[in-house]
């Protein structure tokens, strides 16, 4: 199978084999730019016969649209607990749970690519890097917010963890 992957990476990008799996991490399904970009991305990947799965970190009004254009969906476990821990001043514990959930989901789904939608999906970028899975990190946040979020996860050189960082 490894030779097929290598062949694909040097071949025509429209000739996508069945095994190409992409995990799209949605930090929330709001009606903002990042979620809309994810809907468009999923529609294109589905036209190219990619196996697409959306991981919902939180819900929102665009969730049904994301679900409609993906082949599978799942919810990140423990998001309510993490919110409660942060409100109690236990942010480190919450970050540990996020990192654990991200790594667990990546191991279970075994994607060929992770699309991390916004800086708030940082735990998935870390886990994907640890597991050797390529990442496209789409970020639209301003620098100050980005640095604040990334400090939570003790990132030293965050954007070196991704194959591509797309900003808007």
């Amino acid at each position: 199978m490894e030779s097929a992957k290598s062949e694909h990476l040097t071949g025509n990008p429209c000739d996508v084999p069945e095994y190409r799996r992409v995990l799209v991490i949605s930090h929330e399904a709001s009606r903002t730019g990042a979620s809309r970009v994810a809907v468009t991305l999923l529609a294109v990947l589905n036209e190219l016969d990619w196996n697409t799965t959306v991981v919902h970190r939180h819900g929102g009004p665009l969730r049904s649209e994301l679900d409609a254009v993906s082949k599978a969906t799942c919810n990140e476990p423990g998001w309510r607990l993490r919110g409660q821990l942060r409100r109690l001043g236990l942010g480190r514990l919450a970050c540990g749970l996020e990192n654990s959930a991200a790594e667990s989901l990546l191991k279970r789904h075994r994607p060929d690519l992770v699309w991390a939608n916004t800086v708030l999906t940082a735990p998935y970028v870390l886990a994907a890097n640890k597991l050797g899975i390529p990442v496209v990190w789409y970020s639209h946040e301003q620098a100050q917010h980005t640095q604040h979020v990334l400090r939570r996860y003790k990132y030293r050189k965050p954007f070196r963890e991704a194959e591509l960082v797309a900003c808007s």
Side-chain angles (χ1 to χ4, degrees), residues 125 129 133-137 157-166:
V125 176
N129 185 57
I133 302 168
V135 175
V136 175
W137 201 354
K157 297 177 182 170
F159 298 116
R160 290 187 185 177
E161 308 291 339
E163 296 292 321
L164 172 68
V165 177

Side-chain angles (χ1 to χ4, degrees), residues 24-101:
V24 176
I25 315 302
S26 173
H27 83 285
E28 66 177 6
S30 63
R31 295 198 179 277
T32 61
S35 297
R36 294 204 178 278
V37 167
V39 168
T40 302
L41 171 77
L42 286 160
V44 169
L45 291 174
N46 284 328
E47 285 179 25
L48 295 172
D49 288 329
W50 283 56
N51 292 317
T52 56
T53 300
V54 173
V55 175
H56 292 287
R57 298 199 74 202
H58 302 282
L62 208 62
R63 182 183 175 125
S64 61
E65 220 171 309
L66 283 164
D67 290 350
V69 293
S70 62
K71 293 184 179 170
T73 63
C74 67
N75 296 318
E76 182 181 277
W79 64 272
R80 287 189 177 150
L81 173 61
R82 289 192 316 273
Q84 291 171 345
L85 290 171
R86 282 203 171 89
R87 283 188 290 282
L88 294 171
L90 300 171
R92 278 190 179 170
L93 182 55
C95 286
L97 289 173
E98 282 176 311
N99 291 337
S100 178

